[in-house]
Amino acid sequence: MFIRDKEFELYLSEEIIQQKINSVAGLLNQQLKGKDPLFLVLLNGAFMYAADLFKRIDIPAEISFVKVSSYHGTSSTGKISDLIGLDRSVNGRTVVLVDDIADTGLTLMHVREMILQDNPVDVLTTTLLVKHNKLQNRIKIDFECFSIPDDFVVGYGLDYDGYGRNLKDIYKLKISG
Ligand code: IMP
Ligand code: MG
C-alpha cells in the first residue's frame, strides 16, 4: 500500500491493537482508582489511541488535549515547540500523558518537565508504541501497548507527512530489495 511516495506493509492489525488497549486500560483502571486522573493527550498523533483507551476507562477521569510539534518526514528533528492548549491546572492532579509513540522519547520528556512545574501529584505516561532501541535511558514509559523495532510506522493516528492517520491498522515502511 502506498502513502504518497512510500510503500508500506501491514504490521499490527486492528484486532491486535484493540485487544492490547483493552488490557492496558484494565491496568490503568486498577492503578488509578480513587486518583481522579487527568488524561492529557498529545495531538495530533494520539487522538485515535486516546479515544479507544479512554472509552475503556471506567473510573472517574478527565481528558484534555494539548499540542506539541516536533517531527517532520521520517526522522525525528529533536526540536520541540511549546505546549499549546493546556486549559486547566494540573496542580495536585495525577496526570496521564497519552501519546501515539515514544521514538526518542524526547517529546514526552519535555512535556513532562513542563507539566511538573505546576506541581501535579504524579505524571504517568502511556503510548501505543515504543521504539526501545531509540528511547533515551532517562525516559520511562509507564504503560505501553507495543514495543517495536526502529521502523517507520503509519496508521491508527500516526502519519507520514500528514497522511495515513485514518488507517485502522498499523503499517510499516516496506524496505525494498
Ligand atoms: P520522539 O520525541 O522522538 O519520541 O518522537 C515523538 C513523535 O514523533 C511522536 O509523537 C510521533 O508523532 C512522531 N513519530 C515518531 N516515530 C514515528 C513513526 O514511526 N511514524 C510516525 N510518527 C512518528
Ligand atoms: Mg506525536
Side-chain angles (χ1 to χ4, degrees):
M1 186 212 35
F2 273 84
I3 297 174
R4 293 165 78 81
D5 59 325
K6 298 218 189 305
E7 192 172 8
F8 291 86
E9 60 192 358
L10 185 63
Y11 185 50
L12 297 169
S13 71
E14 180 182 10
E15 193 189 348
I16 299 281
I17 295 168
Q18 296 299 330
Q19 275 173 12
K20 196 70 190 191
I21 293 174
N22 210 27
S23 62
V24 168
L27 289 175
L28 285 162
N29 285 326
Q30 278 171 24
Q31 297 197 21
L32 300 178
K33 194 171 275 175
K35 297 195 167 169
D36 184 23
L38 169 63
F39 285 71
L40 212 54
V41 182
L42 308 194
L43 295 174
N44 295 324
F47 79 98
M48 231 181 247
Y49 174 46
D52 284 338
L53 182 70
F54 202 61
K55 275 187 268 186
R56 294 172 168 111
I57 297 300
D58 59 13
I59 55 170
E62 286 189 287
I63 191 166
S64 187
F65 301 84
V66 293
K67 194 156 187 171
V68 284
S69 160
S70 67
Y71 213 80
H72 303 280
T74 53
S75 74
S76 187
T77 61
K79 281 187 233 137
I80 314 282
S81 64
D82 282 342
L83 196 58
I84 309 161
L86 187 58
D87 61 353
R88 68 200 72 188
S89 171
V90 299
N91 190 274
R93 299 297 300 268
T94 296
V95 177
V96 183
L97 291 177
V98 184
D99 205 357
D100 49 1
I101 183 167
D103 183 349
T104 62
L106 291 174
T107 305
L108 273 172
M109 195 185 77
H110 190 80
V111 172
R112 189 168 181 278
E113 275 161 14
M114 286 190 279
I115 295 290
L116 282 171
Q117 292 176 9
D118 200 16
N119 295 316
V121 166
D122 202 0
V123 182
L124 302 166
T125 49
T126 181
T127 62
L128 183 73
L129 307 171
V130 181
K131 290 182 184 172
H132 276 288
N133 291 345
K134 287 181 74 187
L135 201 66
Q136 323 259 318
N137 323 338
R138 286 179 297 162
I139 300 153
K140 176 169 143 267
I141 306 301
D142 299 294
F143 303 91
E144 68 175 48
C145 294
F146 301 97
S147 175
I148 66 166
D150 185 19
D151 295 317
F152 188 77
V153 290
V154 292
Y156 197 75
L158 293 120
D159 71 303
Y160 166 52
D161 274 353
Y163 292 86
R165 295 193 196 275
N166 50 321
L167 299 163
K168 295 183 186 72
D169 312 285
I170 290 177
Y171 295 76
K172 69 173 180 185
L173 190 62
K174 194 167 177 176
I175 311 296
S176 49

